[in-house]
Amino acid sequence: MSNHDNKFNVRTARPQTIGGALGGLIKIFGVRASDSDLVARWDEIMGADIASVARLAAIKKNRDNTFNVVLRPAVPAYALQLSYRSEEIIQKINKYFGYNAVSKISFRK
């Protein structure tokens, strides 16, 4: 536990939200939480090529603990390109969570 002590002592320039502080702790300990963790780590999960053209618009949790993910393309013309890559996006999210977390991806303009 002593190798994590230095990360707890780092102060930020501004006050953090509780979600931001917990997200930092989750990252330190390697635990993946929920859909809020997906939002906070979108750029890291997707990589620069997808994250630069798509943002999360909505996430709906289903009763079976899977998610319906809605993406908003940076430019409406990217919607078609993203639809071709939807399987890749699903695989990246599922790999991050460690199970088949995504049941559906849709796009909003």
Side-chain angles (χ1 to χ4, degrees), residues 1-71:
M1 192 74 176
S2 63
N3 52 341
H4 294 297
D5 290 339
N6 293 338
K7 293 181 182 181
F8 290 116
N9 294 329
V10 176
R11 295 186 57 94
T12 59
R14 303 180 298 172
Q16 290 183 317
T17 63
I18 291 174
L22 289 177
L25 288 174
I26 288 169
K27 187 173 183 179
I28 290 170
F29 292 113
V31 177
R32 293 174 176 100
S34 65
D35 53 341
S36 62
D37 194 38
L38 178 63
V39 172
R41 312 225 182 288
W42 180 252
D43 294 344
E44 176 185 331
I45 296 167
M46 286 297 116
D49 59 330
I50 294 175
S52 64
V53 296
R55 284 277 161 229
L56 282 172
I59 301 171
K60 181 183 178 224
K61 190 169 187 176
N62 300 321
R63 290 183 185 204
D64 61 352
N65 288 328
T66 61
F67 300 105
N68 291 342
V69 177
V70 180
L71 300 179

Side-chain angles (χ1 to χ4, degrees), residues 82-93:
L82 288 169
S83 70
Y84 292 143
R85 298 181 74 180
S86 62
E87 193 59 39
E88 177 186 356
I89 294 168
I90 290 171
Q91 287 175 357
K92 286 184 177 198
I93 295 171

